[in-house]
Amino acid sequence: MLDYDREADRYDDSRGGEARADEAARAVERLLPSGAGTVIDVGAGTGIVSTRLRRPGRVVVAVDRSSGMLTRAAGRLGGRVVRGDATRLPLRPGRADAVVSVWLLHLLSDAAPVVAEAARVLRPGGVLITTVDKEQSRLVSPSDLADLAAVPRREHGPAAADARERVTALAAASGLVPAGETTFVGVGQGRSPRELRGAPAGWLRELDLAALPDQDRRRPDPVYTLVAFRRTTSTASTGR
Ligand SMILES: C[S@@+](CC[C@H](N)C(=O)[O-])C[C@H]1O[C@@H](n2cnc3c(N)ncnc32)[C@H](O)[C@@H]1O
């Protein structure tokens, strides 16, 4: 995984900046339960999305394991930042109205402990909201990039830690049922084949990007998927 302490200085600008964060926060808001008073943003990074979720009567807490990223988040959220790991949240069980993770699960080798931890800290009726299929989101159809990626996408997509089917199964095992979905545009994140060749990610490395025409023409901005899972009232808190 990328060293996010070192990435922190350039993170916001290189990930679509304020425009991307606006889109992401609006999408999260659409999936939040009405009246959500306690929102935990896990893998919050610089807090560029978390800060946009704040409302009167709602507390947003940013959790991240990178102190470099959290320093920026603290600049936005004040004291509402906690250094911690998504697999062992420093939070009491059954209190949160929502756990939000934008662009976290795809970084992990296994999303299981993160989904289980989210379920533990949610109150009955609370929701986990997370991105899924992140790497596939770059492949917006119709585009020659999506066509080129069709085969590796079929082969590798389902194996990603944030593969939607896998995350849905993990959620079910933790007593979380599907509760909606939406998308957001990664504004400003469309890349040209040449740019992608310079910083290939995941299984995009396998693509023969040099074979595409118009090497410097940026392809469409990615469209990311967010899904929500509600904790059923019958789920017993595991406590800790
Ligand atoms: C791609 S960034 C996303 C940041 C933010 N959610 C956003 O949308 O801008 C991923 C973040 O997850 C954090 N992270 C990765 N693994 C983590 C873990 N196991 N526990 C907590 N944070 C983690 C990284 O430090 C980084 O800040």
Side-chain angles (χ1 to χ4, degrees):
M1 190 188 302
L2 205 59
D3 180 343
Y4 279 97
D5 284 337
R6 298 180 65 175
E7 190 70 6
D9 274 343
R10 62 182 296 273
Y11 180 86
D12 288 347
D13 289 343
S14 59
R15 306 304 197 281
E18 307 285 334
R20 186 283 299 188
D22 278 345
E23 291 290 323
R26 270 199 288 268
V28 169
E29 194 67 43
R30 289 195 287 277
L31 297 175
L32 283 174
S34 64
T38 306
V39 175
I40 315 298
D41 190 359
V42 177
T46 62
I48 193 169
V49 176
S50 340
T51 191
R52 290 168 159 77
L53 299 175
R54 292 190 297 174
R55 299 281 182 280
R58 180 189 296 165
V59 172
V60 179
V61 177
V63 180
D64 203 284
R65 70 177 185 187
S66 158
S67 52
M69 297 290 269
L70 270 188
T71 300
R72 274 91 188 155
R76 293 184 159 116
L77 296 160
R80 304 281 189 190
V81 300
V82 181
R83 184 152 185 235
D85 198 290
T87 62
R88 192 172 172 79
L89 293 173
L91 300 167
R92 285 188 282 180
R95 301 290 179 90
D97 294 306
V99 170
V100 173
S101 282
V102 177
W103 295 349
L104 172 66
L105 298 187
H106 73 288
L107 297 171
L108 311 173
S109 55
D110 182 10
V114 175
V115 173
E117 265 302 82
R120 182 183 69 80
V121 303
L122 285 172
R123 68 166 173 76
V127 296
L128 165 63
I129 298 170
T130 179
T131 42
V132 292
D133 295 332
K134 196 229 175 199
E135 285 311 318
Q136 302 211 26
S137 306
R138 295 175 186 249
L139 310 171
V140 176
S141 294
S143 83
D144 54 358
L145 185 56
D147 293 345
L148 183 69
V151 171
R153 178 182 202 165
R154 269 197 301 278
E155 287 174 3
H156 297 285
D162 71 337
R164 183 180 180 142
E165 274 188 30
R166 165 102 177 119
V167 174
T168 303
L170 292 172
S174 289
L176 302 172
V177 297
E181 65 179 271
T182 190
T183 58
F184 68 93
V185 177
V187 179
Q189 289 197 298
R191 296 284 177 265
S192 69
R194 200 183 308 282
E195 287 170 318
L196 284 174
R197 285 163 60 198
W203 52 266
L204 292 180
R205 286 190 189 90
E206 294 179 21
L207 305 182
D208 185 7
L209 294 163
L212 292 176
D214 303 328
Q215 281 287 304
D216 294 306
R217 178 172 55 81
R218 286 195 158 171
R219 299 317 195 251
D221 284 341
V223 178
Y224 299 104
T225 302
L226 274 175
V227 292
F229 300 97
R230 181 174 298 108
R231 190 184 146 188
T232 53
T233 46
S234 58
T235 309
S237 164
T238 56
R240 208 180 56 200

